[in-house]
Amino acid sequence: DGGITQSPKYLFRKEGQNVTLSCEQNLNHDAMYWYRQDPGQGLRLIYYSQIVNDFQKGDIAEGYSVSREKKESFPLTVTSAQKNPTAFYLCASSIDYGEAFFGQGTRLTVV
Amino acid sequence: DAKTTQPPSMDCAEGRAANLPCNHSTISGNEYVYWYRQIHSQGPQYIIHGLKNNETNEMASLIITEDRKSSTLILPHATLRDTAVYYCIVKGAGANNLFFGTGTRLTVIP
């Protein structure tokens, strides 16, 4: 089935560690996005990518990094520089004027 | 990029129509209006989108005013499963303007 897959669903990280969240899509979409969602809040854009090997910062990029080496994959690394990383992370992909498809999210908890 | 304004919350009786408003007064000519909804702890789900004509699909109807400065999402017969946060978004070409905001929390009451 076509779709967008995030893994893992739940992730625990010790303070000071980097952690990478996976996002894969087989929809042949050019654009991919990462969002962060805190309890009771809307989605905030972290990074987005329009094409392979190109990406731009969103509203809250500090403490995060991404790569886009393949069209299908857009992994997000939460670095130790992110002071409050506990959140729900959502990945999405879209074509230019089409709807965005979202993964089911990764819930990251710092312990 | 155009941003949107939505009421933070609304209630609707089960079986009645739910009308969710959205203001997008700074929308530009090539930007579409999209609606998504998010059920608790899941990824947002696409509902409908339009440019300037009214649109209808199996989930909902979208009414866009003639000046395109506002729109209304209509769920014709709301069910308990429609309880969710509904996001109105304006989006044009490119990947840099998929801005979600805080949405409207719709509660369908039995």
Side-chain angles (χ1 to χ4, degrees):
Chain A
D1 288 348
I4 184 163
T5 302
Q6 289 185 243
S7 61
K9 188 171 182 179
Y10 298 97
L11 188 58
F12 296 89
R13 188 195 96 172
K14 293 183 179 179
E15 283 193 39
Q17 284 184 337
N18 292 355
V19 64
T20 298
L21 283 59
S22 170
C23 180
E24 303 278 332
Q25 53 100 359
N26 60 3
L27 300 166
N28 201 34
H29 287 169
D30 287 314
M32 295 188 75
Y33 313 79
W34 273 105
Y35 293 88
R36 170 183 172 135
Q37 188 173 36
D38 294 287
Q41 304 296 312
L43 280 67
R44 291 187 290 168
L45 184 63
I46 304 173
Y47 268 99
Y48 60 95
S49 168
Q50 275 187 278
I51 56 173
V52 174
N53 292 321
D54 185 59
F55 48 83
Q56 285 78 42
K57 294 181 179 180
D59 299 324
I60 55 164
E62 185 174 352
Y64 299 98
S65 66
V66 292
S67 62
R68 187 86 187 273
E69 297 177 1
K70 299 186 299 182
K71 189 175 187 178
E72 301 80 18
S73 179
F74 191 40
L76 173 75
T77 297
V78 184
T79 75
S80 57
Q82 170 50 240
K83 298 305 177 189
N84 185 22
T86 294
F88 187 47
Y89 290 88
L90 286 158
C91 179
S93 69
S94 75
I95 56 174
D96 230 7
Y97 282 100
E99 67 266 31
F101 289 80
F102 281 81
Q104 287 305 300
T106 293
R107 192 166 297 280
L108 173 65
T109 302
V110 173
V111 296
Chain B
D1 296 334
K3 299 293 171 59
T4 61
T5 304
Q6 298 177 254
S9 64
M10 292 181 63
D11 293 339
C12 178
E14 187 178 16
R16 303 297 292 269
N19 297 280
L20 291 89
C22 180
N23 181 288
H24 31 80
S25 57
T26 59
I27 193 170
S28 59
N30 66 346
E31 289 184 314
Y32 285 71
V33 180
Y34 287 78
W35 282 84
Y36 291 81
R37 72 179 183 185
Q38 185 180 25
I39 296 170
H40 183 62
S41 296
Q42 297 182 21
Q45 173 192 24
Y46 165 82
I47 300 173
I48 199 167
H49 75 283
L51 184 63
K52 51 185 178 180
N53 296 325
N54 298 337
E55 302 288 343
T56 295
N57 63 19
E58 65 278 6
M59 290 181 69
S61 295
L62 174 60
I63 308 298
I64 303 174
T65 59
E66 192 170 341
D67 63 8
R68 302 209 324 123
K69 293 185 177 182
S70 65
S71 61
T72 300
L73 178 76
I74 301 172
L75 308 178
H77 305 286
T79 71
L80 299 179
R81 288 177 295 180
D82 292 322
T83 292
V85 177
Y86 288 77
Y87 296 97
C88 167
I89 300 153
V90 290
K91 179 181 181 296
N96 62 336
N97 49 6
L98 200 58
F99 175 77
F100 272 75
T102 55
T104 296
R105 181 173 299 277
L106 175 69
T107 302
V108 180
I109 302 168

